[in-house]
Amino acid sequence: MNWDDFKGLKYYIAYAAVVIGFFVYSGATGWKWFNPTHTETEHNSGTGHHVGRSYIYHK
Amino acid sequence: MSGSNYTLKCPKCQAVNTVRGKAMTLAMTCSSCSVYFRVGNWDKTITPFHSAYEPALPLGTKGKIDGVVYEVMGFTVKKEQKYKYQWREYLLFNPFQGYAFLSEYDGHWNIIWPIENEPTKGTTKSDFYEGGVSYQLFQKYEAKVVYARGEFFFDVVDLTNSTLNREYIAPPFMYAVEESDDSVLWCKGEHITKQEVASAFNVQAKSLPTQKGIGYTQPVMGSIQSSTLINFTIFVFVALLISQFYFSSNAEETIVYQGTFYQSALGDQKFFVTPSFVLEGSSKSLTIDIEAPLQNDWFFGEFSLINEDNGTELIFTKDIEYYEGYDDEGRWTEGSSHGEAFLSKIPAGKYHINVYPEFSTSSHQFSLLVKRDVATMSNFFLAFVVLALFPAGYFIRKNLMERKRWSESDYSPYDSYE
């Protein structure tokens, strides 16, 4: 095996680098790719305990 | 070698033929009457080749292969004697490198050079090793020339008729040996693509024969070597494993909140509010473990993780069910009294959680355990599968192609498995 052998693998090497890079980024940021916990995000102008959807639900 | 005034007179029609190979040419066909003759020895039993075979690479065409400029000197069509298939061979010549062959069958090409040293013998008659590569016997045949045109440095008709040929392959390479009673000629060959042939001889690729099936030396996928792919895949998996080990062993799993909630404490409220907790550092995961003492019961909660710094609210739900009982086969259980919600990429900040519970008739409490920076294994398994797709696809394709390739051979290693 020599370096020329890797020329035929250049697309797989690039593909593997992207996957490993994405895996490392996800591990570092705590990103689970397929997460069974489905979430919704809401942005509210206020702060405190009674904001956004929680506030609407509560009142 | 063209442009010479070296000539030979046809022994049949007396036409004068210009000989590009000069004194090296030992046999040729007459450009006028197409009769084939050896220089100074015309075998009249060989009928003129009047068949309408047209070489895809015209005689006299020059092409550069591996940095060597070859000229097309002769063209033959040969027919295998057992299965009656035909292929085409071009005799190429370079005054410094000598001669070579370009063979074509079903649109698949090989460039073949004579070699002086016989390859190392193998352990059996059907294989041998050369350069650490195992070459397998692919075909053994006798052939006849059904058409010839141009010049040859040997009596191609007599040589072809009198030799037994064996070809060994390790795609994209091959070895061929021609054996007669008094001679042995070894050649080494390599697959060359139709586009490379067209480019080398400056002809249109579409003017070359159309490819059918898989060539017997055609590589599976470009220039990929199986051993290199295996080694690199192992390297990638080890890198993945080390990365996962790093994340698992360095996950802090800090408990940022832990508490138990009772239905009786709800009063007029419809939800619980946890105390505020602070998440530090960069974005990390957050898990919320929910435990409810259930007995043939369920618990449902809607949760809001609220960022007190910017008001962003992350809403999710969790349903927990646990049932048990006895039937004819004994005790059975279904579900769990424990559930986990996983939240990805939660940035640093001050948070609290609002919980909107729905209790059943007998379920009256639940506990929360909130942890920061919890490692997950699922990404590892997914990445493993994603990374395995390419090598798996390669080897599946390789297996299919090899079976198809060897289906053309009497010496298929796959026959013993079927």
Side-chain angles (χ1 to χ4, degrees), chain B residues 39-175:
Chain B
V39 175
N41 183 4
W42 176 31
D43 181 357
K44 295 180 182 177
T45 61
I46 302 175
T47 54
F49 294 116
H50 288 306
S51 301
Y53 294 103
E54 199 58 37
L57 303 175
L59 300 182
T61 305
K62 290 182 178 177
K64 196 173 192 178
I65 298 176
D66 286 346
V68 179
V69 176
Y70 289 103
E71 181 176 348
V72 179
M73 305 297 289
F75 169 68
T76 54
V77 179
K78 295 183 178 180
K79 187 176 191 177
E80 202 269 346
Q81 291 301 286
K82 184 178 178 183
Y83 296 110
K84 308 298 182 190
Y85 63 86
Q86 295 182 356
W87 72 98
R88 289 143 291 281
E89 283 184 5
Y90 297 83
L91 176 65
L92 310 179
F93 182 70
N94 174 280
F96 302 103
Q97 300 292 326
Y99 66 91
F101 303 97
L102 198 55
S103 75
E104 177 272 315
Y105 173 66
D106 272 355
H108 299 282
W109 297 79
N110 286 296
I111 177 74
I112 300 166
W113 301 271
I115 56 173
E116 291 182 0
N117 298 322
E118 184 176 331
T120 313
K121 293 284 185 191
T123 51
T124 70
K125 287 184 177 177
S126 62
D127 72 350
F128 61 85
Y129 287 88
E130 186 66 27
V133 178
S134 171
Y135 288 81
Q136 302 291 318
L137 177 64
F138 186 82
Q139 54 189 343
K140 188 159 59 177
Y141 61 88
E142 292 175 306
K144 283 190 181 301
V145 172
V146 296
Y147 181 75
R149 185 193 294 186
E151 301 172 27
F152 304 93
F153 304 142
F154 40 82
D155 185 351
V156 66
V157 172
D158 180 63
L159 195 67
T160 305
N161 291 352
S162 62
T163 54
L164 175 66
N165 304 276
R166 281 175 287 139
E167 291 182 349
Y168 301 82
I169 64 165
F173 302 107
M174 61 168 287
Y175 276 95

Side-chain angles (χ1 to χ4, degrees), chain B residues 16-27:
Chain B
V16 176
N17 291 272
T18 300
V19 183
R20 298 192 311 278
K22 298 180 184 175
M24 290 186 64
T25 297
L26 296 182

Side-chain angles (χ1 to χ4, degrees), chain A residues 15 31 35 40 42 54 58, chain B residues 271 313 315 342 356 379 386:
Chain A
Y15 171 79
W31 182 5
N35 190 355
E40 291 177 28
E42 290 191 4
S54 304
H58 179 61
Chain B
F271 66 105
E313 194 171 357
I315 302 159
F342 189 100
Y356 303 84
N379 285 4
V386 169

Side-chain angles (χ1 to χ4, degrees), chain B residues 239-266:
Chain B
L240 187 68
L241 200 61
I242 290 172
S243 302
Q244 179 61 35
F245 179 77
Y246 173 82
F247 290 126
S248 296
S249 58
N250 286 281
E252 294 179 352
E253 298 195 7
T254 310
I255 296 174
V256 294
Y257 173 72
Q258 188 170 18
T260 302
F261 300 87
Y262 299 92
Q263 187 178 16
S264 57
L266 268 178

Side-chain angles (χ1 to χ4, degrees), chain B residues 224-287:
Chain B
I224 293 177
Q225 299 287 326
S226 298
S227 58
T228 309
L229 178 59
I230 290 170
N231 289 335
F232 182 72
T233 302
I234 291 171
F235 169 78
V236 165
F237 285 160
V238 168
L240 187 68
L241 200 61
I242 290 172
S243 302
Q244 179 61 35
F245 179 77
Y246 173 82
F247 290 126
S248 296
S249 58
N250 286 281
E252 294 179 352
E253 298 195 7
T254 310
I255 296 174
V256 294
Y257 173 72
Q258 188 170 18
T260 302
F261 300 87
Y262 299 92
Q263 187 178 16
S264 57
L266 268 178
D268 294 334
Q269 297 286 332
K270 294 179 180 175
F271 66 105
F272 294 108
V273 181
T274 70
S276 298
F277 50 84
V278 176
L279 304 181
E280 295 177 335
S282 57
S283 290
K284 297 283 181 186
S285 62
L286 193 74
T287 60

Side-chain angles (χ1 to χ4, degrees), chain B residues 319-368:
Chain B
D319 187 15
I320 302 171
E321 295 178 52
Y322 179 75
Y323 299 96
E324 64 179 19
Y326 289 89
D327 60 15
D328 297 342
E329 297 177 358
R331 186 172 181 271
W332 59 267
T333 63
E334 183 179 315
S336 170
S337 59
H338 171 262
E340 181 193 271
F342 189 100
L343 305 179
S344 298
K345 299 174 72 176
I346 303 300
K350 190 177 180 184
Y351 292 84
H352 70 267
I353 298 174
N354 287 0
V355 187
Y356 303 84
E358 287 184 25
F359 295 101
S360 66
T361 51
S362 60
S363 164
H364 302 295
Q365 71 178 77
F366 65 94
S367 301
L368 293 185

Side-chain angles (χ1 to χ4, degrees), chain B residues 278-309:
Chain B
V278 176
L279 304 181
E280 295 177 335
S282 57
S283 290
K284 297 283 181 186
S285 62
L286 193 74
T287 60
I288 296 93
D289 290 329
I290 304 127
E291 184 76 36
L294 301 175
Q295 190 78 20
N296 288 321
D297 210 346
W298 56 266
F299 168 79
F300 175 82
E302 181 175 317
F303 300 79
S304 291
L305 175 71
I306 299 164
N307 186 328
E308 297 178 9
D309 298 331

